[in-house]
Amino acid sequence: IVDDAQRTDRLKQSLNGTGAIVNGPFQVWAQDSAITDAHIDEISGWADLEHLVLSGCPITDGAFSAICRFQRLKTLDISRTQVTSRGISSANLPT
């Protein structure tokens, strides 16, 4: 079992060097950071974020499908990214 401090540390390690800010065990603020599809794919396997701000990041539709794995997601900002309306409409977003 992973506690909140361990989860926060793991997120920080996974996103190190991107400019993203980890605000807690389930929150990432990555506005205008260097987070890529590969980063999102890697953390989507275990992080289950609640709040994710990716405005201005170089992510694509490929990352959006990984974002849909976050079943707790309450807040998502993908403005100014390369995610297309086609990627959004074909995704299986959590309710």
Side-chain angles (χ1 to χ4, degrees), residues 7 11 25-27 40 42-52 66-74 94:
R7 181 180 298 274
L11 273 171
F26 303 100
Q27 301 178 46
I40 299 299
E42 191 271 318
I43 66 171
S44 71
W46 57 268
D48 204 15
L49 298 177
E50 290 181 0
H51 307 283
L52 180 59
I67 289 167
C68 292
R69 293 184 206 136
F70 298 127
Q71 294 301 304
R72 299 172 153 216
L73 198 61
K74 295 178 184 175

Side-chain angles (χ1 to χ4, degrees), residues 59-62 64 78 81-91:
I59 62 165
T60 68
D61 291 346
F64 198 70
I78 54 167
T81 66
Q82 295 176 26
V83 175
T84 67
S85 58
R86 183 175 183 206
I88 294 169
S89 66
S90 65

Side-chain angles (χ1 to χ4, degrees), residues 6-39:
Q6 291 169 322
R7 181 180 298 274
T8 300
D9 286 344
R10 186 171 177 192
L11 273 171
K12 287 179 181 179
Q13 289 173 1
S14 294
L15 302 176
N16 186 37
T18 64
I21 298 168
V22 177
N23 291 327
F26 303 100
Q27 301 178 46
V28 174
W29 179 274
Q31 185 173 2
D32 297 314
S33 76
I35 285 185
T36 64
D37 292 4
H39 292 106

Side-chain angles (χ1 to χ4, degrees), residues 26 54 76-77 87 93:
F26 303 100
L54 295 169
L76 175 64
D77 183 349
L93 282 168

